[in-house]
Each structure stands twice: as structure tokens, then as C-alpha cells.
């Protein structure tokens, strides 16, 4: 068909109740789809060959966030991909991350975080973000200790609170007639 490529976008509102929950959600997002080694990329792309690329990310939305999962794939793989996403959600809700996976995402985040301060423009952006969000002046000094304090149990609890497939709005494009 002329619409061989489709796009899956799942999105939901997220309002972390405190900074500790925000740190945990950051790590949950990383393991879900926030970097190339994430579950979405490894399972949907590397293991199953269902997508060209898929990931998840947070975008600021007023004082909270929109959490989005977005991927490009063959239209014929949309249903199967949505089922695999549900399966990944279920796994994160019922199985603790291994120590090695948890350590890997914390190390990845730590490297990305430190790299975000490289140069005067990056520093200005960090300052602007802190002002926009009304963060304390020592906020950035608390981030890495906060990230490293998150446990596998914390991530599983957050998965159970936030990874409900029905709480995500589904937007599909491409040849979706067969759905």
C-alpha cells in the first residue's frame, strides 16, 4: 500500500508528587525507552524487528509533563507492537530490575547529566530551566544523589502507578484501516 510506514504515539499527563518521584520516573523512562539500550528498542527493534526506532521521553507541559512513547514502524506491525508495549509495561510492573540494569541506567543518566553542563550555553540553559521551574539554587547538586538513591522497588512501584496502557492516549498514523 502507499502507507507502508506507520507511526505509534502514546501519551499521557504525568505530575510527579515530589522530587524523589521525579527521579524515579526519570529512571523508569530510561529503562522503558529513554536510550538505545532501553526495553522498547531492544525488544521491538533488536529482538522482534518491528520498528525502525522507538523511544519514550518527557516534555514539559505547564508545571507537569507529558510522557510520550513514539515509534516509526511498518503499518502491518502496529497491532503486534502495541501488544509488545503492553507486555513491557506488565514486565516492569511485576519484575524488579536487575542490579546490573539499574546500575546501567543510573550510569547512563549520570553521564548525560554531567554532559549537560558542558560550556556556557549549556550552563545558561540549566540556569534558565531552574528559574522557569522555580527550583532551589542547589537543585543540581541534589540530582545525582537523588538518582542514585532510587531502588528497583521504587521503579516497580512507579511502573504500577503510571504504566497503565489505558491511561495513555493512542495516536496512530499510516495504514490503520486494518486495526
Amino acid at each position: 500500500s502507499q502507507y507502508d510506514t506507520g507511526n505509534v504515539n502514546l501519551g499521557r499527563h504525568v505530575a510527579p508528587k515530589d522530587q524523589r518521584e521525579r527521579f524515579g520516573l526519570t529512571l523508569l523512562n530510561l529503562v522503558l525507552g529513554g536510550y538505545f539500550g532501553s526495553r522498547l528498542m531492544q525488544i521491538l527493534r533488536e529482538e522482534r524487528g518491528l520498528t525502525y526506532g522507538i523511544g519514550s521521553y518527557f516534555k514539559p507541559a505547564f508545571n507537569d509533563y507529558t510522557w510520550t512513547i513514539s515509534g516509526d514502524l511498518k503499518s502491518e506491525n502496529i497491532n503486534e507492537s502495541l501488544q509488545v508495549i503492553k507486555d513491557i509495561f506488565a514486565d516492569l510492573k511485576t519484575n524488579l530490575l536487575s542490579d546490573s540494569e539499574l546500575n546501567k541506567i543510573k550510569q547512563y543518566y549520570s553521564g548525560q547529566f554531567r554532559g549537560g553542563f558542558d560550556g556556557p550555553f549549556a550552563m545558561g540553559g540549566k540556569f534558565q530551566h531552574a528559574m522557569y521551574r522555580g527550583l532551589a539554587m542547589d537543585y543540581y547538586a541534589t540530582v545525582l544523589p537523588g538518582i542514585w538513591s532510587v531502588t528497583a522497588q521504587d521503579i516497580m512501584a512507579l511502573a504500577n502507578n503510571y504504566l497503565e496502557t489505558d491511561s495513555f492516549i493512542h495516536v496512530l498514523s499510516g495504514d490503520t484501516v486494518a486495526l
Side-chain angles (χ1 to χ4, degrees), residues 29-87:
N29 179 65
L30 274 177
V31 77
L32 176 64
Y35 76 117
F36 194 79
S38 70
R39 302 272 180 102
L40 290 171
M41 281 296 283
Q42 291 306 305
I43 296 170
L44 277 117
R45 178 188 163 126
E46 300 300 315
E47 292 175 18
R48 306 285 284 274
L50 296 174
T51 179
Y52 310 113
I54 190 164
S56 62
Y57 55 90
F58 290 110
K59 283 198 127 159
F62 304 101
N63 291 324
D64 300 319
Y65 300 92
T66 300
W67 195 1
T68 302
I69 298 168
S70 180
D72 296 316
L73 46 112
K74 291 181 184 172
S75 292
E76 66 195 39
N77 295 336
I78 290 175
N79 281 330
E80 185 178 354
S81 297
L82 289 171
Q83 183 56 53
V84 172
I85 292 168
K86 286 181 185 180
D87 295 344

Side-chain angles (χ1 to χ4, degrees), residues 58-164:
F58 290 110
K59 283 198 127 159
F62 304 101
N63 291 324
D64 300 319
Y65 300 92
T66 300
W67 195 1
T68 302
I69 298 168
S70 180
D72 296 316
L73 46 112
K74 291 181 184 172
S75 292
E76 66 195 39
N77 295 336
I78 290 175
N79 281 330
E80 185 178 354
S81 297
L82 289 171
Q83 183 56 53
V84 172
I85 292 168
K86 286 181 185 180
D87 295 344
I88 292 169
F89 282 10
D91 185 60
L92 289 167
K93 290 162 70 171
T94 57
N95 296 303
L96 289 172
L97 297 182
S98 68
D99 290 342
S100 65
E101 187 173 25
L102 182 59
N103 193 48
K104 183 179 1 177
I105 60 172
K106 287 178 178 182
Q107 288 177 338
Y108 177 84
Y109 181 84
S110 296
Q112 293 296 109
F113 179 78
R114 288 182 183 111
F117 290 90
D118 188 19
F121 294 112
M123 294 287 288
K126 294 291 186 185
F127 181 73
Q128 183 181 24
H129 174 78
M131 287 183 52
Y132 174 74
R133 289 283 182 191
L135 301 172
M137 292 310 291
D138 69 342
Y139 166 75
Y140 291 113
T142 69
V143 171
L144 289 181
I147 288 290
W148 283 92
S149 73
V150 175
T151 67
Q153 291 83 358
D154 295 332
I155 292 174
M156 181 188 282
L158 290 167
N160 277 285
N161 288 341
Y162 287 97
L163 293 182
E164 210 43 65

